Every structure is written in C-alpha cells, then in structure tokens.
Amino acid sequence: MSDELNLTPWTGPWAADDPDAVFKAEVADYNRLDPLHTLRGLSEHTGIPVGGLARYVLARFATTGSGGLLELGPAMVERLRAPVRRAEEAGTDEARLAAYRELAGMLSWLAVPLDQPDVYPG
C-alpha cells in the first residue's frame, strides 16, 4: 500500500436528504483552507518534515473518536445514543426536545465531578 496522499479539495455536491450532509458540509468548509500553509510553517519551526506532521495530524484526528469511546465506555455511549434513537424513530419535534432534555440531564450528571474541584482536583 502506498503512503502517497493527494490533498484534492472537495466541496460537494451532496443530496439534501443525505444522512451525512452535516459532515459533508463541514468537510467542504474546511476544504476551502490550505492545511499545507500551516504544516509548512510548523515544519520550518520544528524541523519535522511536512509528511510527518501530516501523518501526526491525521492519526490524531482519526483516533479521537476511539479515545472518547475509551474514556466514556461503551455502555455510557449507548445510554447517550438511546434518547436520540428514540426521538428519531418518533420523528417529532416534541420527541427531539425530550431527547435533548434527557441528554442534558445525563451530561449534567456526568459533569458533577468536574464542577466540584474538591471531588475531582484534575
């Protein structure tokens, strides 16, 4: 397998009902930028080759989701996904609002140690 990568800008198109439309819009927005400008400057400053920096950035981004899963744990991820699934199955604004409130409650509960420095000094 080749490590060669072509950084071809992509700005679409995608269908309005595409389930990945939000992600694709974000990809298109970021594709307006030239990441090599930043990587070249960082390379000059650190002495790390542009390819090594690009590999680092890609690997770090690509593993972020896995790191989050490890921190939360699969059971908690499923608990957080459940209200969204129920709301999308119902397909109503009321169900989505209820899911938002349920998720807000769960996140508030998860954040308690962060909000109490004496409990969680980190």
Side-chain angles (χ1 to χ4, degrees), residues 19-106:
D20 297 316
V22 172
F23 177 69
K24 289 179 180 180
E26 185 175 351
V27 169
D29 283 344
Y30 274 94
N31 269 258
R32 298 178 206 288
L33 304 173
D34 178 9
L36 291 178
H37 177 76
T38 301
L39 292 178
R40 286 184 188 113
L42 188 56
S43 175
E44 288 176 20
H45 179 75
T46 63
I48 300 170
V50 170
L53 291 169
R55 189 177 190 105
Y56 161 76
V57 169
L58 290 168
R60 182 156 181 191
F61 178 81
T63 60
T64 299
S66 299
L69 176 60
L70 288 172
E71 286 190 37
L72 281 175
M76 191 63 198
V77 170
E78 287 303 322
R79 286 184 65 193
L80 291 168
R81 286 173 62 176
V84 175
R85 284 186 176 149
R86 287 193 305 273
E88 291 306 315
E89 285 173 10
T92 65
D93 289 342
E94 293 80 14
R96 290 182 182 99
L97 184 56
Y100 169 84
R101 289 183 178 136
E102 187 175 346
L103 285 168
M106 284 190 246

